[in-house]
Amino acid sequence: MQTLEHLPPLLRRYGGVVFLSAAPVAVALEFFAPERHTALFFASILAIVPLAGYLGRATDELAGHFGGAIGGLLNATFGNITELIIGALALRAGFTDLVKASLTGSIIGNTLLVFGLAALAGGLRHRVQHFNRTAASLSSTMLLLSVVAMVVPAVFHSLSQHRGAGTELRMDTEIAVVLLLTYCASLIFTLKTHREPHQPSHSTRRMSVSRSFALLLGATAGVAWMSELLVGALSEATRALGMSELFVGVVVVAVIGNAAEHYSAVRMAIRGEMDAALSIAVGSSIQIALLITPLLLFLSYAIAPTPMNLLFTEFEIVAVGFAVLTIAMIAHDGETHWMEGVQMLAVYAILVLGFYFLPSGG
Amino acid sequence: MQTLEHLPPLLRRYGGVVFLSAAPVAVALEFFAPERHTALFFASILAIVPLAGYLGRATDELAGHFGGAIGGLLNATFGNITELIIGALALRAGFTDLVKASLTGSIIGNTLLVFGLAALAGGLRHRVQHFNRTAASLSSTMLLLSVVAMVVPAVFHSLSQHRGAGTELRMDTEIAVVLLLTYCASLIFTLKTHREPHQPSHSTRRMSVSRSFALLLGATAGVAWMSELLVGALSEATRALGMSELFVGVVVVAVIGNAAEHYSAVRMAIRGEMDAALSIAVGSSIQIALLITPLLLFLSYAIAPTPMNLLFTEFEIVAVGFAVLTIAMIAHDGETHWMEGVQMLAVYAILVLGFYFLPSGG
Amino acid sequence: MQTLEHLPPLLRRYGGVVFLSAAPVAVALEFFAPERHTALFFASILAIVPLAGYLGRATDELAGHFGGAIGGLLNATFGNITELIIGALALRAGFTDLVKASLTGSIIGNTLLVFGLAALAGGLRHRVQHFNRTAASLSSTMLLLSVVAMVVPAVFHSLSQHRGAGTELRMDTEIAVVLLLTYCASLIFTLKTHREPHQPSHSTRRMSVSRSFALLLGATAGVAWMSELLVGALSEATRALGMSELFVGVVVVAVIGNAAEHYSAVRMAIRGEMDAALSIAVGSSIQIALLITPLLLFLSYAIAPTPMNLLFTEFEIVAVGFAVLTIAMIAHDGETHWMEGVQMLAVYAILVLGFYFLPSGG
């Protein structure tokens, strides 16, 4: 859904250079100076941005080729494949808490930061922006579901501490199944029974199917490679930067990992297409919460040293809870103005302050 | 409001036989094999279903006879008399936690399971279902009140542990008075000042007043007898089944005890009468929370070994809180579609998983 | 916004005598019987009511003179100057917890008690009362922001107990900056970019600018003097009355300190001007939460023995959280009726019961 070609000319020219040179730099560092963890960390993160853009571009092209429900399905399942790849590689390396933190960060980032920026930027140009209330209401409740799925394991854990980690994991796995089934049901709803008559396509197809597939494969491989480097440099880099793993996961990885969504959503909002902005921002949060999270949990059985459960930290739960409440209160009336953008950014700022100051292991 | 005659012919014929033979079976077990606790437990639970249906039928008939505000009052006060009888007998036997659990279970069951099934079943037939937003909003806030009344005692308890159980009970009793007064005010609102001009009657009167009274008395006596057997078999049966008292109260007793509501609400929804479905499902939750709960607390002073307070477990509070948030987010726009039914059922499923896995005493 | 002249004639005549004689009585007590703390406490509280009324009157007059955005700004910044003065003097005397409690009390009091009374009183006369949904929704989200700003420090504190009070204060100060900036943005929104075309003025100007200034200065000095006496008598009076500092702050000081708002909001509601009532009640809560609280925190660095942080008690957070949820659920549809007034008062009553029974230090 997002590609570098959407960037304004100047940023494309120079920003493009920075982003595209990041991958070679990362590879070079890996080979010649693998001890420069912080540089490697940032280079690999920067390199992921354009690769994620290409992944989105390829998905868009394929979705356009197949069209209709299959196209929608492609977008709905591959839309956050970058997060899935980074998450899987980090899980394999044992960074369970960081993966969960980046899931949290993606949810609150897409909901509050991306949609907040979109509402603010769009609101500065348009007095009031309207969007489909039914879709917004459906989305808020989907996100509420993810909060329920975070709170139940936390309460369980606090009541049965130090015994029954096995029971806990079994419960979490079954909860993940419920989340995944609900996500599938929502696809049937959105793509089949309650499909919007003519959803405007935001991409003009210019690639053949085979080229799109090649791009998809290439970008996936690239993202995987860069994620591998990122995960390898993680421990040392966070220590050198003096930031907790939680903060890196929630803010740094999540914000940069969703850079493309930021740009697309803001651009749609400025154009006055608030429905598209909402769908990118909140739709992405829902995908993370109800598709990527269960998939990572299932995957973790196979690839991780210990399986990932759904036990998030108290502060992560609070953060997602407030993000959902905020979006519910702002979106329920089907309109936004710039001040609501400010409010979302203010909630995000306070939450980020909390994550920044929180001691490690919080 | 519910009666066996509403059941589809086949289920009526065979299901009816099962349900109606349950009472004699329970009585027979009590006399000839009182040690078969689990069988007794299920027989008495099954026996309560049709008896509760007759109670509802008798209330409906009487309400129809008196009509208007008095009829409405009858429905509003006798609608959950089954729960009151079971609760009172269980309190007398000292099962305070189980009574509270079944109150919790009735609230979340009626809100999420009953209304969720209704929204799903109705939504499969109708693209969008509409209902009165003002009534829905009023109901959500009534339920929020019950959450406040659960959270305040819990916070109080956590801050003054092991001292002042007397103070705690005094506070809870005064909170119960506030709940009951608010419920009375809502009756004045619904039946008097803001009465709907012509509420369609769902029952066709066929009984005389005296027959209705006789049915009411007979069914009440039957429910009381079966509840007595149920309560007597409870301890042994839950142990044999390996389920916690909390789970039995929240899920088993509550679901079977509200079977009639389930059936009626779903039937209304399929007919497209979503207002009636909402009123049965959520109205029943409100009655449990703001009428039956205070009444049981007051009764417990007279009949229970120790009075019942309003201290619910952490997980019960979380469950009711999420049920209320979900219904508020789904009902505020005055329309549902099938996916919102799925969402409510998903929230219910996750909560039930929590109750199932939670260790006893949680 | 409020003045004694709005009071009904009889109350004005006799109530006025009580209120206006309270200040001389307080001064006399201070000089001749400074040991009569309880009498001094009540005399100074009563004396503040009319002085706050004069402050409001002077602000209104000046706002009328300057008109437009500057007038709106005057009302938005001086509207709760009484609370600021009492708070500053209590902070200087070291009553940090009491100041926080009175901030909490003002927020829940204005939201639930004032707006609840307004909705009830107005609803008894008008079947349904309408108001601007957009403004109500904006206000609910502003209040949600204040809940976020209370919860983040509390979670932080619970996770990093006994270490890092300095870090905590730094975080809280930065959160206060976010709150203040958001408040400023909301002023730009309300007074500039999204100003209502012709807001009816509720005051008829009768004073010259210089007289208004003199009244403003005089009333400010009076409020400051009475607050000084109030703060001096506080410790002994609360001990003598057997009430916790928390209860005195949340209920007694807050209710009496907002007496003028109560009266004005109810009067507007009876007249059918529900927008004005909402704006007085909820607008005042927002001002307390997002303007007065940050200002007091900044001031506390200069004047208090130890700076004030944003760490509220668990019960205060719960209370504000429920107040915000209640107002959000009631106001989102842009209409109220009397039963919603009852619901708000019921939530307030349960919360006050909690504060009353809560042991000190809770």
Side-chain angles (χ1 to χ4, degrees):
Chain A
M1 214 174 282
Q2 317 85 17
T3 137
L4 273 182
E5 302 190 19
H6 287 157
L7 288 169
L10 217 81
L11 181 63
R12 187 167 37 180
R13 185 169 305 164
Y14 297 105
V17 170
V18 171
F19 283 126
L20 290 174
S21 61
V25 168
V27 174
L29 281 168
E30 174 70 3
F31 278 97
F32 302 113
E35 76 288 354
R36 306 211 36 192
H37 299 290
T38 310
L40 198 49
F41 176 75
F42 283 113
S44 54
I45 277 189
L46 286 180
I48 287 171
V49 174
L51 288 168
Y54 286 124
L55 252 176
R57 173 79 191 278
T59 312
D60 258 16
E61 291 282 340
L62 284 173
H65 275 290
F66 292 107
I70 295 178
L73 197 65
L74 269 171
N75 261 326
T77 45
F78 281 87
N80 279 292
I81 199 170
T82 307
E83 277 83 356
L84 186 65
I85 296 170
I86 303 181
L89 290 169
L91 277 180
R92 207 186 54 185
F95 290 106
T96 317
D97 288 344
L98 182 113
V99 170
K100 289 194 271 188
S102 78
L103 293 170
T104 303
S106 289
I107 295 172
I108 67 169
N110 282 314
T111 311
L112 294 174
L113 183 58
V114 177
F115 191 56
L117 280 174
L120 176 57
L124 290 179
R125 186 168 292 200
H126 312 276
R127 190 177 162 85
V128 184
Q129 310 233 78
H130 294 278
F131 50 87
N132 187 335
R133 282 177 52 190
T134 305
S137 172
L138 191 81
S139 303
S140 307
T141 316
M142 290 298 264
L143 289 174
L144 180 63
L145 204 63
S146 74
V147 180
V148 179
M150 290 171 93
V151 169
V152 169
V155 174
F156 181 91
H157 185 78
S158 81
L159 294 175
S160 58
Q161 238 147 0
H162 300 304
R163 38 171 179 134
T167 314
E168 211 168 320
L169 187 61
R170 218 178 101 208
M171 181 179 79
D172 291 3
T173 308
E174 296 183 14
I175 290 175
V177 172
V178 174
L179 293 182
L180 198 58
L181 290 177
T182 311
Y183 187 72
C184 294
S186 81
L187 291 187
I188 297 173
F189 183 82
T190 321
L191 301 177
K192 193 117 192 263
T193 69
H194 285 63
R195 207 167 144 218
E196 292 297 310
H198 25 229
Q199 210 139 3
S201 167
H202 300 300
S203 72
T204 45
R205 287 161 39 201
R206 263 168 296 173
M207 278 196 247
S208 65
V209 177
S210 54
R211 254 200 90 189
S212 305
F213 262 117
L215 183 63
L216 188 69
L217 286 178
T220 303
V223 167
W225 193 0
M226 289 304 114
S227 302
E228 192 72 45
L229 299 185
L230 172 66
V231 167
L234 207 62
S235 292
E236 298 294 329
T238 53
R239 199 173 309 149
L241 293 166
M243 294 188 285
S244 70
E245 208 176 279
L246 187 67
F247 183 77
V248 170
V250 170
V251 183
V252 180
V253 172
V255 168
I256 305 192
N258 291 298
E261 274 91 346
H262 283 66
Y263 179 68
S264 304
V266 170
R267 205 159 132 272
M268 294 298 170
I270 290 175
R271 275 211 232 144
E273 300 180 21
M274 209 59 194
D275 271 307
L278 184 76
S279 142
I280 293 170
V282 181
S284 187
S285 288
I286 293 172
Q287 226 174 92
I288 297 283
L290 279 81
L291 176 68
I292 304 296
T293 304
L295 287 183
L296 286 175
L297 188 147
F298 301 147
L299 263 175
S300 74
Y301 276 97
I303 60 171
T306 54
M308 181 181 97
N309 59 19
L310 292 180
L311 183 65
F312 288 79
T313 67
E314 192 183 347
F315 199 72
E316 288 175 297
I317 297 172
V318 162
V320 174
F322 277 125
V324 174
L325 262 187
T326 307
I327 199 81
M329 282 170 72
I330 281 179
H332 76 85
D333 59 0
E335 55 176 56
T336 54
H337 34 62
W338 69 263
M339 185 60 210
E340 291 187 321
V342 171
Q343 290 176 328
M344 286 186 265
L345 296 175
V347 172
Y348 187 73
I350 296 176
L351 295 176
V352 166
L353 281 173
F355 281 113
Y356 180 75
F357 282 106
L358 215 60
S360 301
Chain B
M1 215 174 283
Q2 318 82 17
T3 138
L4 272 184
E5 304 189 18
H6 288 158
L7 286 170
L10 217 81
L11 181 63
R12 190 167 35 181
R13 185 168 305 163
Y14 298 103
V17 170
V18 171
F19 283 126
L20 291 175
S21 61
V25 167
V27 173
L29 282 168
E30 173 70 2
F31 278 97
F32 302 111
E35 75 288 353
R36 304 211 37 192
H37 299 290
T38 310
L40 198 50
F41 176 75
F42 282 114
S44 54
I45 276 190
L46 285 180
I48 288 172
V49 174
L51 289 167
Y54 286 125
L55 252 176
R57 172 80 193 277
T59 312
D60 257 15
E61 291 283 339
L62 284 174
H65 276 292
F66 292 108
I70 294 178
L73 197 64
L74 269 171
N75 260 326
T77 45
F78 281 87
N80 280 291
I81 200 170
T82 306
E83 277 83 355
L84 187 64
I85 295 169
I86 303 180
L89 291 169
L91 276 180
R92 207 187 53 184
F95 290 106
T96 318
D97 288 344
L98 182 113
V99 169
K100 289 194 272 189
S102 77
L103 293 170
T104 303
S106 290
I107 296 172
I108 67 169
N110 283 315
T111 311
L112 294 175
L113 183 59
V114 178
F115 191 57
L117 279 175
L120 176 57
L124 290 179
R125 185 167 291 202
H126 312 276
R127 190 177 161 84
V128 184
Q129 311 231 80
H130 294 278
F131 49 87
N132 187 336
R133 282 178 55 190
T134 305
S137 171
L138 191 81
S139 303
S140 308
T141 316
M142 290 298 264
L143 288 174
L144 180 63
L145 204 63
S146 75
V147 180
V148 179
M150 290 172 94
V151 169
V152 169
V155 174
F156 181 91
H157 184 79
S158 81
L159 294 175
S160 59
Q161 236 147 1
H162 301 304
R163 41 174 176 130
T167 314
E168 212 168 319
L169 187 61
R170 217 179 102 208
M171 183 180 76
D172 291 2
T173 308
E174 296 183 15
I175 290 175
V177 172
V178 174
L179 293 182
L180 197 59
L181 290 177
T182 312
Y183 187 72
C184 294
S186 80
L187 290 187
I188 298 173
F189 182 82
T190 321
L191 301 176
K192 192 114 192 264
T193 69
H194 285 63
R195 208 168 143 216
E196 292 296 309
H198 27 228
Q199 210 139 3
S201 167
H202 301 301
S203 71
T204 46
R205 288 161 39 201
R206 262 167 297 173
M207 277 195 246
S208 65
V209 177
S210 53
R211 253 200 92 188
S212 307
F213 260 118
L215 183 63
L216 188 69
L217 286 178
T220 303
V223 166
W225 191 2
M226 289 304 114
S227 303
E228 192 72 43
L229 299 185
L230 172 65
V231 168
L234 207 61
S235 293
E236 298 295 329
T238 53
R239 200 173 310 150
L241 293 165
M243 294 188 284
S244 71
E245 208 176 279
L246 187 68
F247 183 76
V248 170
V250 170
V251 182
V252 182
V253 172
V255 168
I256 305 191
N258 291 300
E261 274 92 346
H262 283 65
Y263 178 68
S264 305
V266 171
R267 205 158 132 275
M268 295 296 169
I270 290 175
R271 276 211 231 145
E273 299 181 21
M274 209 59 193
D275 271 308
L278 184 77
S279 143
I280 293 170
V282 181
S284 186
S285 288
I286 294 172
Q287 226 173 92
I288 297 283
L290 280 82
L291 177 67
I292 304 297
T293 304
L295 287 183
L296 285 175
L297 188 147
F298 301 148
L299 264 175
S300 74
Y301 275 98
I303 59 170
T306 53
M308 180 180 98
N309 59 19
L310 292 180
L311 184 64
F312 288 79
T313 67
E314 193 183 346
F315 198 72
E316 288 175 298
I317 297 173
V318 162
V320 174
F322 277 125
V324 174
L325 263 187
T326 307
I327 198 80
M329 281 169 71
I330 280 179
H332 77 84
D333 58 359
E335 55 177 56
T336 55
H337 34 62
W338 69 263
M339 185 60 209
E340 292 186 321
V342 171
Q343 290 177 326
M344 285 186 267
L345 295 175
V347 172
Y348 187 73
I350 296 176
L351 295 176
V352 166
L353 281 174
F355 280 113
Y356 180 75
F357 282 106
L358 215 60
S360 301
Chain C
M1 213 173 283
Q2 318 83 15
T3 138
L4 272 183
E5 303 190 17
H6 288 159
L7 287 170
L10 218 82
L11 181 65
R12 187 166 39 180
R13 186 169 304 162
Y14 298 104
V17 170
V18 171
F19 283 126
L20 290 174
S21 61
V25 167
V27 173
L29 282 167
E30 172 70 3
F31 277 98
F32 301 113
E35 76 288 353
R36 304 212 37 193
H37 298 290
T38 310
L40 199 49
F41 176 75
F42 283 113
S44 54
I45 276 189
L46 285 180
I48 287 172
V49 175
L51 289 167
Y54 286 125
L55 253 176
R57 171 80 192 276
T59 312
D60 257 15
E61 290 283 339
L62 284 173
H65 275 291
F66 292 108
I70 294 178
L73 198 64
L74 270 171
N75 261 326
T77 45
F78 280 87
N80 280 292
I81 199 169
T82 307
E83 277 83 357
L84 187 65
I85 296 170
I86 303 181
L89 290 170
L91 276 180
R92 206 187 55 187
F95 290 105
T96 317
D97 288 344
L98 182 112
V99 170
K100 288 194 272 189
S102 77
L103 293 170
T104 303
S106 290
I107 295 172
I108 66 169
N110 281 314
T111 310
L112 294 174
L113 182 59
V114 177
F115 191 55
L117 280 175
L120 175 57
L124 292 178
R125 184 167 293 199
H126 311 275
R127 190 176 161 84
V128 184
Q129 311 232 80
H130 294 278
F131 50 87
N132 187 335
R133 283 178 54 190
T134 306
S137 171
L138 191 81
S139 302
S140 307
T141 315
M142 290 299 264
L143 288 174
L144 180 63
L145 204 63
S146 75
V147 180
V148 179
M150 289 171 95
V151 169
V152 169
V155 174
F156 181 91
H157 185 77
S158 82
L159 294 175
S160 59
Q161 238 148 2
H162 300 304
R163 42 176 175 128
T167 314
E168 210 169 319
L169 187 62
R170 218 179 100 207
M171 182 181 76
D172 291 2
T173 307
E174 295 182 16
I175 290 175
V177 171
V178 174
L179 293 181
L180 197 58
L181 290 177
T182 312
Y183 188 73
C184 294
S186 80
L187 291 187
I188 297 173
F189 183 82
T190 322
L191 301 176
K192 193 113 192 264
T193 69
H194 285 63
R195 210 170 141 213
E196 292 297 309
H198 26 230
Q199 210 139 5
S201 167
H202 300 299
S203 72
T204 45
R205 288 160 41 202
R206 262 169 297 175
M207 277 196 246
S208 66
V209 177
S210 54
R211 255 201 89 187
S212 307
F213 261 118
L215 183 63
L216 189 69
L217 285 179
T220 304
V223 167
W225 192 0
M226 289 304 113
S227 303
E228 192 74 43
L229 300 185
L230 172 66
V231 168
L234 207 61
S235 293
E236 299 294 330
T238 53
R239 200 173 310 149
L241 294 165
M243 295 187 286
S244 72
E245 208 175 279
L246 187 68
F247 183 76
V248 170
V250 170
V251 182
V252 181
V253 172
V255 168
I256 305 191
N258 291 299
E261 273 91 347
H262 284 64
Y263 178 69
S264 304
V266 171
R267 203 158 132 274
M268 294 297 169
I270 290 176
R271 274 211 231 144
E273 299 181 21
M274 208 61 192
D275 271 308
L278 184 77
S279 142
I280 293 171
V282 180
S284 186
S285 288
I286 293 172
Q287 225 173 93
I288 297 284
L290 279 82
L291 177 67
I292 303 297
T293 303
L295 287 183
L296 284 176
L297 187 148
F298 301 148
L299 263 176
S300 74
Y301 275 98
I303 60 170
T306 55
M308 180 181 98
N309 59 19
L310 292 180
L311 183 65
F312 288 79
T313 67
E314 192 184 346
F315 198 72
E316 289 176 296
I317 297 172
V318 162
V320 174
F322 278 125
V324 173
L325 263 187
T326 308
I327 198 81
M329 281 170 70
I330 281 178
H332 76 85
D333 59 359
E335 55 178 55
T336 55
H337 34 61
W338 69 263
M339 184 61 208
E340 292 187 322
V342 170
Q343 290 176 326
M344 286 186 266
L345 295 175
V347 172
Y348 186 73
I350 296 176
L351 295 176
V352 166
L353 281 173
F355 280 114
Y356 180 75
F357 282 106
L358 215 62
S360 301

